Amino acid sequence: FISKPFEPNDLYRQILKVTKNRDKTEISQDIQAKSDMEKPIVDFSFLYEISDEDPVYINDVIDIFLNTMPEGLRKLDTLISDTDDWEATYKQAHFLKSSVSVVRVRDMFDKLGRIEMLAKNHGDKEEIKNIFSEIMSIFEEAMPVILAEKEKRKPGNA
């Protein structure tokens, strides 16, 4: 039992006591996975904050995102699949990270950062391809949410 209000670390310690037969790493991974699943696929909070919730500005940023991200991902795919141009791969992943730092699509920033790091260090091409595949799945899942937000912010919609 733990009463509210409580600190997350206190809850974690209590969970460890109750589940002492489980490995601490396993529990930590379970908690992180649950936390990741609870995150929305797209987080617009930073965009709302920097725009002061101006619907025109939000719409403009979403338009830029929708006009640059698909092509940018295609370019990154080509670099990964058809070249060994590590520098261009690094730069393209870095460029895409800036877009997902504003329109925050779940895990894309971190995964692009991983590709960026692997490309910088001439890392494992198969790992890069696998990460890119995960990025594309996430992006495909996020697109309807982004389009719905754009539609919601369209001039004339209340």
Side-chain angles (χ1 to χ4, degrees), residues 26-89:
E26 182 184 345
I27 293 168
S28 178
Q29 288 170 345
D30 288 350
I31 291 170
Q32 183 62 44
K34 185 171 181 355
S35 172
D36 288 346
M37 294 302 291
E38 292 172 356
K39 291 180 195 173
I41 187 67
V42 183
D43 177 2
F44 294 102
S45 62
F46 182 68
L47 177 56
Y48 298 158
E49 183 181 324
I50 64 172
S51 69
D52 202 24
E53 298 207 28
D54 176 356
V56 174
Y57 182 83
I58 291 169
N59 214 25
D60 288 347
V61 171
I62 291 173
D63 275 341
I64 292 167
F65 183 87
L66 291 170
N67 289 326
T68 59
M69 187 57 77
E71 180 57 34
L73 289 169
R74 278 190 290 277
K75 183 175 180 182
L76 183 58
D77 185 27
T78 299
L79 288 166
I80 292 167
S81 300
D82 300 340
T83 76
D84 285 324
D85 190 340
W86 296 104
E87 181 68 18
T89 301

Side-chain angles (χ1 to χ4, degrees), residues 13-28:
R13 279 191 289 280
Q14 189 64 28
I15 291 169
L16 287 177
K17 275 188 206 174
V18 173
T19 59
K20 58 185 159 192
N21 292 336
R22 291 183 64 200
D23 179 88
K24 289 179 184 178
T25 304
E26 182 184 345
I27 293 168
S28 178

